[in-house]
Coordinates of all heavy atoms in Angstrom, one line a residue:
M1 N -75.2 -63.6 -92.5 CA -74.6 -64.9 -92.9 C -75.4 -65.4 -94.2 O -76.6 -65.2 -94.3 CB -74.7 -65.9 -91.9 CG -73.9 -65.8 -90.7 SD -73.3 -67.3 -90.2 CE -71.6 -67.1 -90.1
D2 N -74.7 -66.1 -95.0 CA -75.3 -66.6 -96.3 C -75.6 -68.1 -96.2 O -75.8 -68.6 -97.3 CB -74.3 -66.2 -97.5 CG -73.0 -66.9 -97.3 OD1 -72.8 -67.7 -96.4 OD2 -72.1 -66.8 -98.2
G3 N -75.7 -68.6 -95.1 CA -76.0 -70.0 -94.9 C -74.8 -70.9 -94.8 O -75.0 -72.2 -94.7
T4 N -73.6 -70.4 -95.1 CA -72.4 -71.3 -95.0 C -72.0 -71.3 -93.5 O -72.2 -70.4 -92.8 CB -71.2 -70.8 -95.8 OG1 -70.9 -69.5 -95.4 CG2 -71.6 -70.8 -97.3
T5 N -71.3 -72.4 -93.2 CA -70.9 -72.6 -91.8 C -69.3 -72.2 -91.8 O -68.5 -72.7 -92.5 CB -71.0 -74.0 -91.4 OG1 -72.5 -74.3 -91.5 CG2 -70.6 -74.2 -90.0
A6 N -69.0 -71.3 -90.9 CA -67.6 -70.9 -90.7 C -67.0 -72.0 -89.9 O -67.5 -72.5 -89.0 CB -67.6 -69.6 -90.1
I7 N -65.6 -72.3 -90.3 CA -64.9 -73.3 -89.5 C -64.0 -72.5 -88.5 O -63.4 -71.6 -88.8 CB -63.9 -74.1 -90.5 CG1 -64.7 -74.8 -91.5 CG2 -63.0 -75.0 -89.7 CD1 -63.9 -75.6 -92.5
T8 N -64.1 -72.9 -87.2 CA -63.5 -72.2 -86.2 C -62.0 -72.7 -86.1 O -61.6 -73.8 -86.6 CB -64.2 -72.5 -84.8 OG1 -64.0 -73.9 -84.5 CG2 -65.6 -72.1 -84.9
D9 N -61.3 -71.9 -85.4 CA -59.8 -72.3 -85.1 C -59.8 -73.6 -84.4 O -58.9 -74.4 -84.6 CB -59.1 -71.1 -84.5 CG -58.8 -69.9 -85.3 OD1 -58.9 -70.1 -86.6 OD2 -58.5 -68.8 -84.8
V10 N -60.6 -73.8 -83.5 CA -60.6 -75.0 -82.7 C -60.8 -76.2 -83.6 O -60.2 -77.3 -83.4 CB -61.6 -74.9 -81.5 CG1 -61.8 -76.2 -80.8 CG2 -61.3 -73.8 -80.6
E11 N -61.8 -76.1 -84.5 CA -62.1 -77.2 -85.5 C -60.8 -77.5 -86.3 O -60.5 -78.6 -86.6 CB -63.3 -76.9 -86.2 CG -64.5 -76.9 -85.5 CD -65.7 -76.4 -86.2 OE1 -65.6 -75.5 -87.1 OE2 -66.8 -77.0 -86.0
I12 N -60.3 -76.4 -86.8 CA -59.0 -76.6 -87.6 C -57.9 -77.2 -86.8 O -57.2 -78.2 -87.3 CB -58.5 -75.2 -88.2 CG1 -59.6 -74.7 -89.1 CG2 -57.2 -75.3 -88.8 CD1 -59.4 -73.2 -89.6
D13 N -57.7 -76.8 -85.6 CA -56.7 -77.5 -84.7 C -57.0 -78.9 -84.5 O -56.1 -79.8 -84.5 CB -56.6 -76.8 -83.4 CG -56.0 -75.3 -83.5 OD1 -55.3 -75.1 -84.6 OD2 -56.1 -74.5 -82.6
R14 N -58.2 -79.3 -84.3 CA -58.6 -80.6 -84.0 C -58.4 -81.5 -85.4 O -57.8 -82.6 -85.2 CB -60.1 -80.7 -83.7 CG -60.6 -82.1 -83.4 CD -62.0 -82.1 -82.9 NE -62.9 -81.3 -83.6 CZ -63.6 -81.6 -84.7 NH1 -63.5 -82.8 -85.2 NH2 -64.5 -80.7 -85.3
V15 N -58.7 -80.9 -86.5 CA -58.4 -81.7 -87.7 C -56.9 -81.9 -88.0 O -56.4 -83.0 -88.2 CB -59.0 -80.9 -88.9 CG1 -58.5 -81.5 -90.3 CG2 -60.5 -81.0 -88.9
I16 N -56.1 -80.9 -87.6 CA -54.7 -80.9 -87.8 C -54.0 -82.0 -86.8 O -53.3 -82.8 -87.2 CB -54.0 -79.5 -87.6 CG1 -54.3 -78.6 -88.8 CG2 -52.5 -79.7 -87.5 CD1 -53.9 -77.2 -88.6
I17 N -54.5 -81.9 -85.6 CA -54.0 -82.9 -84.6 C -54.4 -84.3 -85.0 O -53.6 -85.3 -84.9 CB -54.6 -82.5 -83.2 CG1 -53.9 -81.3 -82.7 CG2 -54.4 -83.7 -82.2 CD1 -54.6 -80.7 -81.5
E18 N -55.6 -84.6 -85.5 CA -56.0 -85.9 -85.9 C -55.2 -86.3 -87.1 O -54.9 -87.5 -87.2 CB -57.5 -85.9 -86.3 CG -58.1 -87.2 -86.6 CD -58.0 -88.3 -85.5 OE1 -58.0 -87.9 -84.3 OE2 -57.8 -89.5 -85.9
E19 N -54.9 -85.5 -88.0 CA -54.2 -85.8 -89.2 C -52.7 -86.3 -88.8 O -52.2 -87.2 -89.3 CB -54.1 -84.7 -90.2 CG -53.2 -84.9 -91.4 CD -53.8 -86.0 -92.3 OE1 -55.0 -86.4 -92.2 OE2 -53.1 -86.6 -93.2
R20 N -52.1 -85.5 -87.9 CA -50.8 -85.8 -87.4 C -50.8 -87.1 -86.7 O -49.9 -88.0 -86.9 CB -50.3 -84.7 -86.5 CG -49.8 -83.5 -87.3 CD -49.3 -82.4 -86.4 NE -49.0 -81.2 -87.1 CZ -48.9 -80.0 -86.5 NH1 -49.0 -79.9 -85.2 NH2 -48.6 -78.9 -87.2
R21 N -51.8 -87.4 -85.9 CA -52.0 -88.7 -85.2 C -52.1 -89.8 -86.2 O -51.4 -90.8 -86.0 CB -53.1 -88.7 -84.3 CG -53.5 -89.9 -83.5 CD -54.7 -89.8 -82.6 NE -55.2 -91.1 -82.3 CZ -55.8 -92.0 -83.0 NH1 -56.2 -91.7 -84.2 NH2 -56.1 -93.2 -82.5
R22 N -52.9 -89.6 -87.2 CA -53.1 -90.7 -88.2 C -51.7 -90.9 -88.9 O -51.4 -92.1 -89.2 CB -54.2 -90.3 -89.2 CG -54.5 -91.4 -90.2 CD -55.4 -90.8 -91.3 NE -54.9 -89.7 -92.0 CZ -53.9 -89.7 -92.8 NH1 -53.3 -90.8 -93.1 NH2 -53.6 -88.6 -93.4
Q23 N -51.0 -89.9 -89.3 CA -49.7 -90.0 -89.9 C -48.7 -90.8 -89.1 O -48.0 -91.7 -89.6 CB -49.2 -88.7 -90.3 CG -49.9 -88.1 -91.5 CD -49.4 -86.7 -91.9 OE1 -48.6 -86.1 -91.2 NE2 -49.9 -86.1 -93.0
R24 N -48.7 -90.5 -87.8 CA -47.8 -91.2 -86.9 C -48.1 -92.7 -86.7 O -47.3 -93.6 -86.8 CB -47.8 -90.6 -85.5 CG -47.1 -89.3 -85.3 CD -46.8 -88.9 -83.9 NE -48.1 -88.9 -83.1 CZ -48.8 -87.8 -83.0 NH1 -48.6 -86.7 -83.6 NH2 -50.0 -87.9 -82.2
L25 N -49.4 -93.0 -86.8 CA -49.9 -94.4 -86.7 C -49.5 -95.1 -88.0 O -49.1 -96.3 -88.1 CB -51.4 -94.5 -86.4 CG -51.8 -94.2 -85.1 CD1 -53.4 -94.1 -85.0 CD2 -51.3 -95.2 -84.1
D26 N -49.7 -94.5 -89.2 CA -49.3 -95.0 -90.5 C -47.9 -95.3 -90.5 O -47.4 -96.4 -91.0 CB -49.8 -94.1 -91.6 CG -51.2 -94.1 -91.9 OD1 -51.9 -95.0 -91.3 OD2 -51.7 -93.1 -92.5
L27 N -47.0 -94.4 -90.0 CA -45.6 -94.6 -90.1 C -45.2 -95.8 -89.1 O -44.4 -96.6 -89.5 CB -44.9 -93.3 -89.6 CG -43.4 -93.2 -89.7 CD1 -43.0 -93.4 -91.1 CD2 -42.9 -91.9 -89.2
A28 N -45.9 -95.9 -87.9 CA -45.6 -97.0 -87.1 C -46.0 -98.4 -87.7 O -45.3 -99.4 -87.6 CB -46.3 -96.8 -85.8
R29 N -47.1 -98.3 -88.5 CA -47.5 -99.6 -89.2 C -46.5 -100.0 -90.2 O -46.2 -101.2 -90.3 CB -48.8 -99.3 -89.8 CG -50.0 -99.4 -88.8 CD -51.3 -99.2 -89.6 NE -52.4 -99.1 -88.6 CZ -53.1 -98.0 -88.4 NH1 -52.9 -97.0 -89.2 NH2 -54.0 -97.9 -87.5
I30 N -45.9 -99.0 -91.0 CA -44.9 -99.3 -91.9 C -43.7 -99.9 -91.3 O -43.1 -100.9 -91.8 CB -44.7 -98.2 -92.8 CG1 -45.9 -97.7 -93.6 CG2 -43.5 -98.4 -93.8 CD1 -45.7 -96.4 -94.3
E31 N -43.3 -99.2 -90.2 CA -42.1 -99.7 -89.5 C -42.3 -101.2 -88.9 O -41.3 -101.9 -88.9 CB -41.8 -98.7 -88.4 CG -41.2 -97.4 -88.8 CD -41.1 -96.4 -87.8 OE1 -41.8 -96.5 -86.7 OE2 -40.4 -95.4 -88.0
A32 N -43.5 -101.4 -88.4 CA -43.8 -102.8 -88.0 C -43.7 -103.8 -89.1 O -43.2 -104.9 -88.9 CB -45.2 -102.8 -87.3
D33 N -44.2 -103.4 -90.2 CA -44.2 -104.3 -91.4 C -42.7 -104.6 -91.8 O -42.3 -105.7 -92.0 CB -44.9 -103.8 -92.6 CG -46.4 -103.7 -92.5 OD1 -46.9 -104.5 -91.6 OD2 -47.1 -103.0 -93.2
L34 N -41.9 -103.6 -91.8 CA -40.5 -103.7 -92.1 C -39.8 -104.6 -91.1 O -39.0 -105.6 -91.5 CB -39.8 -102.3 -92.1 CG -38.5 -102.3 -92.7 CD1 -38.5 -102.5 -94.2 CD2 -37.9 -100.8 -92.5
A35 N -40.1 -104.4 -89.8 CA -39.5 -105.3 -88.9 C -40.0 -106.8 -89.0 O -39.2 -107.7 -88.8 CB -39.9 -104.8 -87.4
Y36 N -41.2 -107.0 -89.3 CA -41.7 -108.3 -89.5 C -41.0 -109.0 -90.7 O -40.5 -110.1 -90.6 CB -43.2 -108.3 -89.8 CG -43.8 -109.6 -90.3 CD1 -44.0 -110.6 -89.3 CD2 -44.0 -109.9 -91.6 CE1 -44.6 -111.8 -89.7 CE2 -44.5 -111.1 -92.1 CZ -44.8 -112.1 -91.1 OH -45.3 -113.3 -91.5
F37 N -40.8 -108.3 -91.8 CA -40.1 -108.9 -93.0 C -38.7 -109.2 -92.6 O -38.1 -110.3 -93.1 CB -40.3 -108.1 -94.2 CG -41.7 -108.1 -94.7 CD1 -42.3 -106.8 -94.9 CD2 -42.5 -109.2 -94.8 CE1 -43.6 -106.8 -95.4 CE2 -43.9 -109.1 -95.3 CZ -44.4 -107.9 -95.5
Q38 N -38.1 -108.3 -91.9 CA -36.7 -108.5 -91.5 C -36.5 -109.7 -90.6 O -35.6 -110.5 -90.8 CB -36.1 -107.3 -90.8 CG -34.7 -107.4 -90.3 CD -33.7 -107.5 -91.4 OE1 -33.8 -106.9 -92.5 NE2 -32.7 -108.3 -91.3
A39 N -37.5 -109.9 -89.7 CA -37.4 -111.1 -88.8 C -37.6 -112.4 -89.6 O -37.0 -113.3 -89.3 CB -38.5 -111.0 -87.7
R40 N -38.6 -112.3 -90.5 CA -38.8 -113.5 -91.3 C -37.5 -114.0 -92.1 O -37.2 -115.1 -92.2 CB -40.0 -113.3 -92.2 CG -41.3 -113.3 -91.6 CD -41.7 -114.6 -90.9 NE -41.7 -115.7 -91.8 CZ -42.8 -116.3 -92.3 NH1 -44.0 -115.9 -91.9 NH2 -42.6 -117.4 -93.1
L41 N -36.8 -112.9 -92.7 CA -35.7 -113.2 -93.4 C -34.6 -113.8 -92.5 O -33.9 -114.7 -92.9 CB -35.1 -111.8 -94.1 CG -35.8 -111.4 -95.3 CD1 -35.4 -110.0 -95.5 CD2 -35.6 -112.3 -96.5
E42 N -34.5 -113.2 -91.3 CA -33.5 -113.8 -90.3 C -33.9 -115.2 -89.9 O -33.0 -116.1 -89.7 CB -33.4 -112.9 -89.1 CG -32.6 -111.5 -89.5 CD -32.6 -110.6 -88.3 OE1 -32.8 -111.0 -87.1 OE2 -32.3 -109.4 -88.6
L43 N -35.1 -115.5 -89.8 CA -35.5 -116.8 -89.3 C -35.2 -117.8 -90.5 O -34.8 -119.0 -90.1 CB -37.0 -116.8 -89.0 CG -37.4 -116.3 -87.7 CD1 -38.9 -116.2 -87.5 CD2 -36.8 -117.1 -86.4
I44 N -35.4 -117.5 -91.7 CA -35.2 -118.4 -92.8 C -33.7 -118.7 -92.9 O -33.3 -119.8 -93.1 CB -35.7 -117.8 -94.1 CG1 -37.3 -117.7 -94.1 CG2 -35.1 -118.7 -95.3 CD1 -37.9 -117.0 -95.2
G45 N -32.9 -117.7 -92.7 CA -31.5 -117.8 -92.8 C -31.0 -118.2 -94.2 O -31.5 -117.8 -95.1
E46 N -30.1 -119.2 -94.2 CA -29.6 -119.8 -95.5 C -30.7 -120.8 -95.9 O -30.8 -121.9 -95.2 CB -28.2 -120.3 -95.4 CG -27.6 -120.7 -96.6 CD -27.5 -119.4 -97.6 OE1 -27.1 -118.3 -97.1 OE2 -27.7 -119.6 -98.8
P47 N -31.4 -120.7 -96.9 CA -32.4 -121.6 -97.3 C -31.8 -123.0 -97.7 O -30.8 -123.0 -98.3 CB -33.1 -121.0 -98.6 CG -32.2 -119.8 -98.9 CD -31.3 -119.5 -97.9
T48 N -32.6 -124.0 -97.3 CA -32.1 -125.4 -97.6 C -33.0 -126.1 -98.4 O -32.9 -127.3 -98.8 CB -31.9 -126.2 -96.2 OG1 -33.1 -126.2 -95.6 CG2 -30.9 -125.5 -95.4
S49 N -34.2 -125.4 -98.8 CA -35.2 -126.1 -99.7 C -35.7 -125.1 -100.6 O -35.5 -123.9 -100.5 CB -36.4 -126.7 -98.8 OG -37.1 -125.6 -98.3
A50 N -36.4 -125.6 -101.7 CA -37.0 -124.7 -102.7 C -38.1 -123.8 -102.0 O -38.1 -122.6 -102.4 CB -37.7 -125.5 -103.8
N51 N -38.8 -124.3 -101.1 CA -39.8 -123.6 -100.5 C -39.1 -122.4 -99.7 O -39.6 -121.3 -99.7 CB -40.6 -124.4 -99.4 CG -41.7 -123.7 -98.8 OD1 -42.3 -122.7 -99.4 ND2 -42.1 -124.2 -97.6
Q52 N -38.0 -122.6 -98.9 CA -37.4 -121.6 -98.2 C -36.8 -120.6 -99.1 O -36.7 -119.4 -98.8 CB -36.3 -122.2 -97.3 CG -36.9 -122.9 -96.0 CD -35.8 -123.5 -95.2 OE1 -34.6 -123.7 -95.6 NE2 -36.1 -123.7 -93.9
R53 N -36.3 -121.0 -100.3 CA -35.7 -120.1 -101.2 C -36.8 -119.2 -101.8 O -36.6 -118.0 -101.9 CB -35.0 -120.8 -102.4 CG -33.7 -121.3 -102.0 CD -32.9 -121.9 -103.2 NE -33.4 -123.1 -103.8 CZ -33.3 -124.3 -103.3 NH1 -32.5 -124.5 -102.2 NH2 -33.8 -125.4 -103.9
A54 N -38.0 -119.7 -102.1 CA -39.0 -118.9 -102.5 C -39.5 -117.9 -101.5 O -39.8 -116.8 -101.7 CB -40.3 -119.8 -102.9
Q55 N -39.6 -118.4 -100.1 CA -40.0 -117.5 -99.1 C -39.0 -116.4 -98.9 O -39.3 -115.2 -98.8 CB -40.1 -118.3 -97.8 CG -41.3 -119.2 -97.7 CD -41.3 -119.9 -96.3 OE1 -40.5 -119.7 -95.4 NE2 -42.3 -120.8 -96.2
R56 N -37.8 -116.7 -99.0 CA -36.7 -115.8 -98.8 C -36.8 -114.7 -100.0 O -36.6 -113.5 -99.7 CB -35.2 -116.4 -98.8 CG -34.2 -115.4 -98.6 CD -32.9 -116.2 -98.2 NE -31.8 -115.3 -98.0 CZ -31.6 -114.5 -96.9 NH1 -32.4 -114.6 -95.9 NH2 -30.6 -113.8 -96.8
K57 N -37.0 -115.1 -101.1 CA -37.1 -114.3 -102.3 C -38.2 -113.3 -102.1 O -38.1 -112.1 -102.2 CB -37.2 -115.0 -103.6 CG -37.3 -114.2 -104.8 CD -37.4 -115.1 -106.0 CE -37.3 -114.2 -107.3 NZ -37.3 -115.0 -108.5
L58 N -39.4 -113.8 -101.7 CA -40.6 -113.1 -101.5 C -40.4 -112.0 -100.3 O -40.7 -110.9 -100.5 CB -41.8 -113.9 -101.2 CG -43.1 -113.2 -100.9 CD1 -43.6 -112.3 -102.0 CD2 -44.2 -114.2 -100.4
F59 N -39.9 -112.5 -99.2 CA -39.8 -111.6 -98.1 C -38.6 -110.6 -98.3 O -38.7 -109.4 -97.8 CB -39.4 -112.4 -96.7 CG -40.7 -113.1 -96.2 CD1 -40.6 -114.5 -96.0 CD2 -41.9 -112.4 -96.0 CE1 -41.8 -115.2 -95.5 CE2 -43.0 -113.1 -95.5 CZ -42.9 -114.4 -95.3
K60 N -37.6 -110.9 -99.1 CA -36.6 -109.9 -99.4 C -37.3 -108.8 -100.3 O -37.0 -107.6 -100.0 CB -35.5 -110.6 -100.2 CG -34.3 -109.7 -100.4 CD -33.2 -110.3 -101.1 CE -32.1 -109.3 -101.3 NZ -30.9 -110.0 -102.0
L61 N -38.0 -109.2 -101.3 CA -38.7 -108.2 -102.1 C -39.7 -107.4 -101.3 O -39.7 -106.1 -101.4 CB -39.5 -109.0 -103.2 CG -40.3 -108.0 -104.1 CD1 -39.5 -107.1 -104.9 CD2 -41.2 -108.8 -105.1
L62 N -40.5 -108.0 -100.4 CA -41.4 -107.2 -99.6 C -40.6 -106.3 -98.7 O -41.1 -105.1 -98.5 CB -42.4 -108.2 -98.9 CG -43.4 -108.9 -99.7 CD1 -44.0 -110.0 -98.8 CD2 -44.4 -108.0 -100.2
H63 N -39.6 -106.7 -98.1 CA -38.7 -105.9 -97.2 C -38.2 -104.7 -97.9 O -38.3 -103.6 -97.4 CB -37.6 -106.8 -96.6 CG -36.8 -106.0 -95.6 ND1 -35.6 -105.5 -96.0 CD2 -37.0 -105.8 -94.3 CE1 -35.1 -104.9 -94.9 NE2 -35.9 -105.0 -93.9
E64 N -37.7 -104.9 -99.2 CA -37.2 -103.8 -99.9 C -38.3 -102.8 -100.3 O -38.1 -101.6 -100.2 CB -36.6 -104.3 -101.2 CG -35.3 -105.1 -101.0 CD -34.8 -105.8 -102.3 OE1 -35.5 -105.7 -103.3 OE2 -33.7 -106.5 -102.2
Q65 N -39.5 -103.2 -100.7 CA -40.6 -102.4 -101.1 C -41.2 -101.6 -99.9 O -41.4 -100.4 -100.0 CB -41.7 -103.1 -101.8 CG -41.2 -103.7 -103.1 CD -40.8 -102.7 -104.1 OE1 -41.5 -101.6 -104.3 NE2 -39.7 -102.8 -104.6
V66 N -41.3 -102.3 -98.7 CA -41.7 -101.5 -97.6 C -40.7 -100.6 -97.1 O -41.0 -99.4 -96.7 CB -42.1 -102.5 -96.5 CG1 -42.3 -101.8 -95.1 CG2 -43.3 -103.3 -96.8
G67 N -39.5 -100.9 -97.2 CA -38.3 -99.9 -96.9 C -38.4 -98.7 -97.8 O -38.2 -97.5 -97.3
I68 N -38.6 -98.9 -99.1 CA -38.8 -97.7 -100.0 C -40.0 -96.8 -99.6 O -39.9 -95.6 -99.6 CB -39.0 -98.3 -101.5 CG1 -37.7 -98.8 -101.9 CG2 -39.5 -97.1 -102.4 CD1 -37.7 -99.6 -103.3
R69 N -41.1 -97.5 -99.3 CA -42.3 -96.8 -98.9 C -42.0 -96.0 -97.6 O -42.5 -94.9 -97.5 CB -43.5 -97.8 -98.7 CG -44.8 -97.1 -98.4 CD -45.9 -98.1 -98.4 NE -47.2 -97.5 -98.0 CZ -48.1 -98.1 -97.5 NH1 -48.1 -99.4 -97.2 NH2 -49.2 -97.4 -97.3
L70 N -41.4 -96.6 -96.7 CA -41.0 -95.9 -95.4 C -40.1 -94.7 -95.7 O -40.3 -93.7 -95.2 CB -40.3 -96.9 -94.5 CG -39.8 -96.3 -93.1 CD1 -41.0 -95.8 -92.3 CD2 -39.1 -97.4 -92.3
A71 N -39.1 -94.8 -96.5 CA -38.2 -93.7 -96.9 C -39.0 -92.6 -97.5 O -38.8 -91.4 -97.2 CB -37.1 -94.2 -97.7
R72 N -39.9 -93.0 -98.5 CA -40.7 -91.9 -99.1 C -41.6 -91.3 -98.1 O -41.8 -90.0 -98.3 CB -41.5 -92.6 -100.2 CG -40.8 -93.0 -101.5 CD -41.7 -93.5 -102.4 NE -41.0 -94.0 -103.6 CZ -41.5 -94.7 -104.5 NH1 -42.8 -95.2 -104.4 NH2 -40.8 -95.1 -105.5
T73 N -42.2 -92.0 -97.2 CA -43.2 -91.4 -96.2 C -42.4 -90.5 -95.3 O -42.8 -89.4 -95.1 CB -43.8 -92.5 -95.4 OG1 -44.5 -93.4 -96.3 CG2 -44.8 -91.9 -94.4
R74 N -41.2 -90.9 -94.9 CA -40.4 -90.0 -94.0 C -39.9 -88.7 -94.7 O -39.9 -87.6 -94.2 CB -39.2 -90.8 -93.4 CG -39.6 -91.7 -92.4 CD -38.4 -92.5 -91.8 NE -38.7 -93.3 -90.7 CZ -38.0 -94.2 -90.3 NH1 -36.8 -94.5 -90.9 NH2 -38.3 -95.0 -89.3
A75 N -39.5 -89.0 -96.0 CA -39.0 -87.8 -96.7 C -40.0 -86.7 -97.0 O -39.8 -85.5 -97.0 CB -38.3 -88.3 -98.0
A76 N -41.2 -87.3 -97.3 CA -42.4 -86.3 -97.7 C -43.0 -85.9 -96.5 O -43.8 -84.8 -96.5 CB -43.3 -87.1 -98.6
G77 N -42.9 -86.5 -95.3 CA -43.6 -86.1 -94.2 C -45.1 -86.3 -94.4 O -45.9 -85.6 -93.8
G78 N -45.5 -87.1 -95.4 CA -46.9 -87.1 -95.9 C -47.5 -88.4 -95.6 O -47.1 -89.2 -94.8
D79 N -48.5 -88.7 -96.3 CA -49.4 -89.8 -96.1 C -49.0 -91.0 -96.9 O -49.0 -91.0 -98.1 CB -50.8 -89.4 -96.6 CG -51.8 -90.5 -96.2 OD1 -51.5 -91.6 -95.9 OD2 -53.1 -90.1 -96.4
P80 N -48.6 -92.1 -96.4 CA -48.1 -93.3 -97.1 C -49.2 -93.9 -97.8 O -49.0 -94.7 -98.7 CB -47.6 -94.2 -96.0 CG -48.3 -93.8 -94.7 CD -48.5 -92.4 -94.9
R81 N -50.5 -93.6 -97.5 CA -51.6 -94.2 -98.3 C -51.9 -93.5 -99.7 O -52.7 -94.0 -100.4 CB -52.8 -94.2 -97.4 CG -52.7 -95.1 -96.3 CD -54.0 -95.1 -95.4 NE -54.1 -93.7 -94.9 CZ -55.1 -93.3 -94.0 NH1 -56.0 -94.2 -93.7 NH2 -55.1 -92.1 -93.6
E82 N -51.1 -92.4 -99.9 CA -51.3 -91.8 -101.2 C -51.0 -92.7 -102.3 O -51.5 -92.7 -103.4 CB -50.5 -90.6 -101.3 CG -51.0 -89.4 -100.4 CD -50.1 -88.2 -100.5 OE1 -49.1 -88.2 -101.2 OE2 -50.4 -87.3 -99.7
Q83 N -50.0 -93.6 -102.1 CA -49.7 -94.7 -103.1 C -50.0 -96.0 -102.5 O -49.5 -96.4 -101.5 CB -48.2 -94.6 -103.4 CG -47.8 -95.5 -104.5 CD -46.4 -95.3 -104.9 OE1 -45.8 -94.3 -104.6 NE2 -45.8 -96.3 -105.5
R84 N -50.9 -96.8 -103.2 CA -51.2 -98.1 -102.7 C -50.1 -99.1 -102.8 O -49.3 -99.0 -103.7 CB -52.4 -98.6 -103.5 CG -53.7 -97.8 -103.2 CD -54.8 -98.4 -104.0 NE -54.5 -98.6 -105.4 CZ -55.1 -98.1 -106.4 NH1 -56.0 -97.1 -106.2 NH2 -54.7 -98.3 -107.7
P85 N -50.0 -100.0 -101.9 CA -49.0 -101.0 -102.0 C -49.1 -101.8 -103.3 O -50.1 -102.1 -103.8 CB -49.3 -101.9 -100.8 CG -50.2 -101.2 -99.9 CD -50.8 -100.2 -100.7
G86 N -47.9 -102.0 -103.9 CA -47.8 -102.7 -105.2 C -48.0 -101.9 -106.4 O -48.0 -102.3 -107.5
Q87 N -48.3 -100.6 -106.2 CA -48.5 -99.6 -107.3 C -47.2 -98.8 -107.5 O -46.8 -98.1 -106.5 CB -49.7 -98.8 -107.1 CG -50.0 -97.7 -108.2 CD -51.2 -97.0 -108.0 OE1 -51.8 -97.0 -106.9 NE2 -51.6 -96.2 -109.0
D88 N -46.6 -98.7 -108.6 CA -45.4 -98.0 -108.9 C -45.9 -96.5 -109.1 O -47.1 -96.3 -109.2 CB -44.7 -98.4 -110.2 CG -44.1 -99.8 -110.0 OD1 -43.9 -100.2 -108.9 OD2 -43.8 -100.4 -111.1
D89 N -44.9 -95.6 -109.1 CA -45.2 -94.2 -109.2 C -46.0 -94.0 -110.5 O -46.9 -93.0 -110.5 CB -43.9 -93.3 -109.3 CG -43.2 -93.3 -108.0 OD1 -43.9 -93.5 -106.9 OD2 -42.0 -93.2 -108.0
D90 N -45.9 -94.7 -111.5 CA -46.6 -94.5 -112.8 C -47.9 -95.2 -112.9 O -48.6 -95.2 -113.9 CB -45.8 -94.8 -114.0 CG -45.3 -96.4 -114.0 OD1 -45.7 -97.0 -113.1 OD2 -44.7 -96.7 -115.0
G91 N -48.3 -95.9 -111.7 CA -49.5 -96.7 -111.6 C -49.6 -98.0 -112.4 O -50.7 -98.6 -112.7
T92 N -48.5 -98.5 -112.9 CA -48.4 -99.7 -113.7 C -48.4 -101.0 -112.9 O -48.4 -102.1 -113.5 CB -47.2 -99.8 -114.7 OG1 -46.0 -99.7 -113.9 CG2 -47.3 -98.5 -115.6
H93 N -48.3 -101.0 -111.6 CA -48.2 -102.2 -110.8 C -47.0 -103.0 -111.2 O -47.0 -104.2 -111.1 CB -49.5 -103.0 -110.8 CG -50.7 -102.2 -110.3 ND1 -51.0 -102.2 -109.0 CD2 -51.6 -101.6 -111.0 CE1 -52.1 -101.5 -108.8 NE2 -52.5 -101.1 -110.1
G94 N -45.9 -102.3 -111.6 CA -44.7 -103.0 -111.9 C -44.6 -103.7 -113.3 O -43.7 -104.4 -113.6
Q95 N -45.7 -103.5 -114.0 CA -45.8 -104.1 -115.4 C -45.0 -103.2 -116.4 O -45.1 -102.0 -116.3 CB -47.2 -104.2 -115.9 CG -48.1 -105.1 -114.9 CD -47.5 -106.5 -114.8 OE1 -47.1 -107.1 -115.8 NE2 -47.5 -107.1 -113.7
P96 N -44.3 -103.9 -117.3 CA -43.5 -103.1 -118.2 C -44.5 -102.4 -119.2 O -45.6 -102.9 -119.5 CB -42.6 -104.1 -119.0 CG -43.2 -105.5 -118.7 CD -44.0 -105.3 -117.4
N97 N -44.0 -101.2 -119.7 CA -44.9 -100.5 -120.7 C -44.1 -100.4 -121.9 O -43.0 -100.9 -122.1 CB -45.3 -99.1 -120.1 CG -44.2 -98.3 -119.7 OD1 -43.1 -98.3 -120.3 ND2 -44.3 -97.5 -118.8
A98 N -44.6 -99.7 -122.9 CA -44.0 -99.6 -124.2 C -42.6 -99.0 -124.2 O -41.8 -99.3 -125.1 CB -44.9 -98.8 -125.1
T99 N -42.3 -98.3 -123.2 CA -41.0 -97.6 -123.1 C -40.0 -98.4 -122.4 O -38.8 -98.0 -122.4 CB -41.1 -96.2 -122.5 OG1 -41.6 -96.3 -121.1 CG2 -42.1 -95.3 -123.3
D100 N -40.4 -99.4 -121.8 CA -39.5 -100.3 -121.0 C -38.7 -101.3 -121.9 O -39.2 -101.7 -122.9 CB -40.2 -101.1 -119.8 CG -40.5 -100.2 -118.7 OD1 -40.0 -99.1 -118.6 OD2 -41.5 -100.6 -118.0

């Protein structure tokens, strides 16, 4: 042996199982966020004040963004934490750039 530690099949299996477990939990968290924003939108209903209109606008935007994140996560079968909330694919956080 040259001093390196060999990784056993059992260790690899344990890491894979833990990663799958974490991905399922992340997916469940995203789904819970989506349900929360949907419920808030339903509770607001038809806004009757400026405050309710602002809340509705915000929750609608959040609901849409979380839905996009959920769809991407399901399609990729990957880690939803690869892209931080609020960060667009190009890393601009929704800010226009010179090409917009």
Side-chain angles (χ1 to χ4, degrees):
M1 289 222 129
D2 61 358
T4 60
T5 305
I7 298 176
T8 66
D9 288 341
V10 172
E11 291 170 323
I12 292 171
D13 289 344
R14 184 174 41 88
V15 169
I16 290 170
I17 289 169
E18 182 61 31
E19 178 65 15
R20 287 181 183 161
R21 179 183 165 277
R22 186 189 54 74
Q23 287 177 352
R24 284 192 309 270
L25 287 173
D26 287 343
L27 191 59
R29 286 183 186 113
I30 295 170
E31 290 171 342
D33 287 344
L34 192 65
Y36 172 79
F37 295 129
Q38 179 65 37
R40 290 297 303 254
L41 285 167
E42 289 178 15
L43 284 173
I44 293 170
E46 192 60 38
T48 57
S49 68
N51 185 30
Q52 287 181 336
R53 284 189 292 280
Q55 286 180 4
R56 183 165 179 77
K57 185 176 181 179
L58 175 64
F59 287 123
K60 185 176 179 183
L61 176 66
L62 290 169
H63 184 262
E64 290 170 1
Q65 292 302 309
V66 170
I68 290 168
R69 187 172 178 208
L70 179 62
R72 286 181 183 165
T73 301
R74 285 181 175 162
D79 188 350
R81 292 180 295 181
E82 290 175 6
Q83 183 174 343
R84 293 186 308 249
Q87 181 178 5
D88 291 343
D89 290 334
D90 61 1
T92 62
H93 299 279
Q95 301 300 317
N97 57 32
T99 60
D100 289 342

